[in-house]
Every structure is written in C-alpha cells, then in structure tokens.
C-alpha cells in the first residue's frame, strides 16, 4: 500500500506503512482492513477535508473527472428504506429515478441525506467508499467505471481517497457491475 499526500501529487510521493495507526486518517480503519482482506492493490491519497467533494478534489489535486468515481448512497422511499451504494464516474450522472429506483424495487428513490448516510455507513458524504460498508448494503458499479485503468474514490473519511484498479471494486462481496447505471452528462 502506498500513501501519498495529495499536496505532493505533482512531486515526490512518500510511502508510509499502514501499520502505523497514528498515521492512518480518521474514519478509514474499517476501509483499510477491508481492502487488505480483499487483497486489493491501492494507494491511500490524503487530502484536505475542505476539498473532499469530487469536483473540488479533482480541480485542486489534478485528477480527471473521467477517472474519479463518486460512491453515492441511494435509498428507496418505502417503509423498508432499502439502500445501495452506487459507484459512478464523476463525469456522469447517476440514474436515480430510472435504473436505481427499479433495482431498489420502490416507486421512488432519492440520495440518502447526510445524517442517514452516516447512520447507515459510518461515513460522511465526501468520504463514502464501497470498501468497508456494512454487509447489508449492495454495491452497484456503473460499467463505465470498469473502463478506467485506475479510479480514485472516497476513502471512508473526508481526509483521504483510495486510488485502485476498478477490478478491485468487484472483489466486494455485494458488488455488481451494472450497465447504464449512470448517464453521460450533456
């Protein structure tokens, strides 16, 4: 595992062992444990929490929106409140009211609010990742994500991101690649 400071992205990268608990960004221990258990190759990229939202992160640290993914929690509006974590490229738009709603099996669906996201995932918006989620949350990956050489997405907290090959996402037990989960932006 490599860990780099996003501030140093254009310069020298420093490798730091993830065994040093004090150096691990807050909120990401379950994520790092899950990545290790799955055997996924990854790089931990630290970032300023004020720039954790995707567009700001990409602009500040020089990542392409076409290689950056959003992990978005969507809930069905029914008594059961089914939830899924949808992984889509930042350059696309999640089809919440079409594909996602139908897959949830509800008449309506919406993005999970900040409070519900934390309550159900243990992660804040801006840091949500499909790694380390509770077992009852399905992970749906837009097929376009699989076309990337590497993808950067939330790291479990707002102070880090995970850079990994997209095939690593398919190692998650509840993961499924879904065609047209997102739409291209016009």
């Amino acid at each position: 595992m490599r860990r780099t400071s996003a501030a140093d992205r254009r310069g020298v990268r420093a490798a730091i062992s993830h065994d040093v608990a004090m150096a691990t960004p807050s909120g990401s221990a379950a994520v790092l444990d899950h990545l290790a258990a799955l055997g996924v190759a990854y790089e931990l990229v630290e970032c300023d929490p004020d720039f954790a939202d995707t567009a700001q992160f990409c602009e500040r640290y020089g990542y392409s929106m076409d290689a950056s993914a959003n992990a978005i929690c969507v809930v069905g509006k029914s008594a059961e409140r089914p939830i899924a974590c949808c992984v889509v490229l930042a350059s696309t738009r999640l089809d919440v009211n079409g594909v996602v709603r139908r897959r949830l099996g509800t008449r309506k669906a919406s993005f999970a609010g900040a409070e519900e996201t934390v309550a159900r995932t243990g992660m804040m918006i801006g840091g949500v990742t499909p790694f380390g989620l509770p077992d009852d949350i399905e992970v749906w990956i837009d097929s376009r994500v699989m076309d990337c050489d590497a993808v950067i997405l939330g790291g479990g907290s707002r102070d880090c991101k995970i850079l990994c090959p997209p095939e690593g996402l398919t190692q998650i037990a509840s993961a499924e690649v879904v065609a047209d989960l997102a739409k291209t932006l016009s």
Side-chain angles (χ1 to χ4, degrees):
M1 185 270 311
R2 281 183 67 115
R3 180 206 257 134
T4 61
S5 168
D8 296 330
R9 295 292 306 158
R10 293 185 178 92
V12 177
R13 295 180 176 184
I16 300 173
S17 170
H18 70 281
D19 294 330
V20 182
M22 294 300 290
T24 302
S26 62
S28 62
V31 172
L32 298 179
D33 289 346
H34 192 211
L35 285 160
L38 294 173
V40 173
Y42 69 94
E43 181 177 331
L44 186 65
V45 179
E46 294 178 351
C47 68
D48 181 333
D50 291 335
F51 294 92
D53 294 325
T54 307
Q56 293 172 323
F57 175 85
C58 288
E59 182 177 333
R60 178 165 179 134
Y61 299 115
Y63 285 90
S64 167
M65 297 282 276
D66 291 325
S68 180
N70 288 316
I72 304 166
C73 291
V74 178
V75 292
K77 292 188 173 187
S78 67
E80 298 83 29
R81 302 277 300 169
I83 186 170
C85 177
C86 302
V87 180
V88 300
L89 292 177
S91 59
T92 64
R93 182 174 43 92
L94 183 62
D95 187 7
V96 175
N97 292 310
V99 176
V100 176
R101 178 191 55 78
R102 285 190 297 275
R103 289 182 63 86
L104 286 171
T106 58
R107 292 177 50 115
K108 293 184 179 183
S110 64
F111 298 113
E115 287 181 24
E116 186 169 14
T117 297
V118 171
R120 297 193 66 181
T121 70
M123 302 175 203
M124 292 177 61
I125 292 175
V128 175
T129 186
F131 298 107
L133 288 174
D135 293 338
D136 64 331
I137 297 179
E138 293 185 64
V139 176
W140 299 333
I141 306 159
D142 183 64
S143 58
R144 292 171 190 87
V145 172
M146 304 309 294
D147 295 335
C148 296
D149 292 329
V151 65
I152 191 156
L153 67 163
S157 66
R158 290 183 60 86
D159 63 356
C160 65
K161 302 287 183 185
I162 299 293
L163 179 67
C164 68
E167 296 78 19
L169 298 168
T170 63
Q171 299 304 306
I172 299 168
S174 65
E176 181 181 349
V177 177
V178 179
D180 300 320
L181 186 64
K183 296 179 180 183
T184 55
L185 295 174
S186 309

